[in-house]
Amino acid sequence: MTAAMDTENALFDLPPDVADARAWAHDFAVRYIRPAAADYDAREETPWPVIQDAAIAGLYTPEFALQAFTDPSGLMLPVVAEEIFWGDGGMGQALLGTFLPLAALVGAGTPEQIRTWTPEFFGSVEHPAVAALCASEPDAGSDAANIRTRAEFDEPSGDWILNGVKTWATNGGIAGVHVINATVDRDLGARGHALFLVPPGTPGISQGQKFSKHGLRASHTAEVLLEDVRIPSGLVLGGKDALDARLAAARERRKVRVPAAMAAFEATRPSIAGMAVGVARAAYEYALDYAKTRVQFGRPIIANQGIAFMLADMATEIDAARLLAWRASNQLARGIPLRNAEGSMAKLKASEVAVRTTEQAIQILGGNGYTRDYPVERWARDAKIFTIYEGTSEIQRLIISRAISGIRIE
Ligand SMILES: Cc1cc2nc3c(=O)[nH]c(=O)nc-3n(C[C@H](O)[C@H](O)[C@H](O)COP(=O)(O)OP(=O)(O)OC[C@H]3O[C@@H](n4cnc5c(N)ncnc54)[C@H](O)[C@@H]3O)c2cc1C
């Protein structure tokens, strides 16, 4: 255990079940993720055998996922996410990508929908499945309210009919269940959006382009095309009656809840921060070990302040980012409103720490850091995603500045 992982002397002790889960996830990362990571990155393939290993180990199961989502301390998710992403960013995304649609289901679904659909998201040990949350579109990335994918209710059949093009979906097209953010009433902007479950094998849903990426290459990212996709009325998250009531309130300009997809992103930001901390910690630990053993000018390179101070900053920044992630997660679990956008603060800080730390790790490794024979260049490629997805760093700053000022900063 390294200094940056030794959090027992932080503000508080981890609850025993969270500490156990951390050790368990770390062990899984050491045994199954690290050894396979470079290969899946090079081949740009979803690591299905490792997802199955995680299912066998009990990490990739509906039971564990729901336990993590309902952990009263809120720390289970960021702590486990840190360990899995410490193993590898791309494989971590392949293993935890399903947790984003799960956050949407848990946040917006009825208890019956959560009970029925969570197992479908994960499949079985014999046949593991992944799930996808499709919110982004070609013309609606940061401007998430601008989606065009429509959900129309067909009264005679009692079905919803979905049409549109989604993009950048993690697990899009290879997922069993796709959770689709669609507009039911465009005049209402984001308040007219709802989330729909599209079960495996539903006609009309297909994969478009699969993206070849800079990092997170073991995670599948693709367009999802929806052409007259029919699903039963009960597959809108929260139920149709609740949706009708929400739309009626929005039309009468009464206050309505934050749209479900945005609520899912809010809830997952501290865990995304945990993932970024994991990648940063991996690079820091590697660079620390390297700096102690690489000798130039007759002494280890860490004996130079130029290198040692860089490592000191890395350790400090990683611990600061982790504490922000834990604070936001703990607030969410205790139902304390994130009035100063503490979730966005955690995501912003941890993303930028991951990018800076991995870049510094390459610098510390010198020429070796720049090659694929060493893992830090892969971690640097992976780290860049955190300033982009689930709200870019600029969007996090918008959210934070609006929250702290009460002014609509543009
Ligand atoms: C690997 C990967 C996985 C992803 N997984 C998913 C997924 O599972 N589901 C999903 O729905 N989406 C997913 N996304 C999409 C991701 O959330 C979007 O890429 C992200 O929200 C940014 O949108 P955009 O790419 O359209 O960029 P744009 O919105 O076009 O932004 C381009 C640039 O302009 C800046 N910008 C935009 N508006 C403003 C503003 N008002 N003020 C200041 N700067 C601004 C942005 O910060 C950015 O720097 C994924 C993306 C990637 C790359």
Side-chain angles (χ1 to χ4, degrees), residues 118-289:
T118 304
E120 294 280 338
F121 279 25
F122 288 85
S124 62
V125 169
E126 294 75 28
H127 301 288
V130 291
L133 175 64
C134 308
S136 303
E137 296 184 3
D139 291 324
S142 300
D143 188 7
N146 192 37
I147 57 168
R148 282 158 209 262
T149 296
R150 296 184 316 279
E152 285 160 316
F153 191 65
D154 181 46
E155 292 285 350
S157 62
D159 287 341
W160 291 101
I161 304 174
L162 307 185
N163 279 287
V165 175
K166 292 293 180 182
T167 192
W168 300 121
T170 298
N171 298 332
I174 62 166
V177 181
H178 289 79
V179 179
I180 307 289
N181 193 31
T183 177
V184 184
D185 184 339
R186 268 208 97 186
D187 293 341
L188 296 177
R191 290 169 307 156
H193 295 180
L195 291 167
F196 297 85
L197 292 159
V198 178
T202 303
I205 187 164
S206 60
Q207 183 184 303
Q209 181 192 357
K210 179 189 169 187
F211 296 104
S212 182
K213 305 193 298 294
H214 175 63
L216 289 196
R217 288 160 57 90
S219 164
H220 173 102
T221 316
E223 289 178 330
V224 173
L225 315 177
L226 299 136
E227 288 172 277
D228 291 330
V229 175
R230 276 183 177 270
I231 53 169
S233 68
L235 293 190
V236 59
L237 288 187
K240 185 162 184 313
D241 290 347
L243 172 64
D244 288 341
R246 184 159 62 79
L247 294 175
R251 285 180 193 121
E252 289 163 20
R253 298 183 182 283
R254 282 186 275 133
K255 207 169 163 31
V256 293
R257 280 177 49 187
V258 179
M262 297 194 187
F265 289 127
E266 250 172 50
T268 51
R269 265 176 209 140
S271 301
I272 303 293
M275 296 172 181
V277 169
V279 175
R281 198 183 99 219
Y284 157 74
E285 288 176 1
Y286 204 95
L288 178 64
D289 285 347

Side-chain angles (χ1 to χ4, degrees), residues 57-125:
L59 259 175
Y60 191 78
T61 61
E63 294 78 18
F64 177 68
L66 288 179
Q67 184 196 342
F69 270 98
T70 53
D71 162 41
S73 75
L75 300 179
M76 184 80 84
L77 276 176
V79 161
V80 168
E82 178 178 335
E83 297 314 315
I84 298 294
F85 275 67
W86 171 90
D88 181 64
M91 292 184 60
Q93 182 74 13
L95 281 161
L96 298 187
T98 297
F99 282 57
L100 178 61
L102 186 64
L105 175 64
V106 169
T110 63
E112 173 63 23
Q113 287 173 329
I114 297 169
R115 242 190 331 274
T116 308
W117 289 94
T118 304
E120 294 280 338
F121 279 25
F122 288 85
S124 62
V125 169

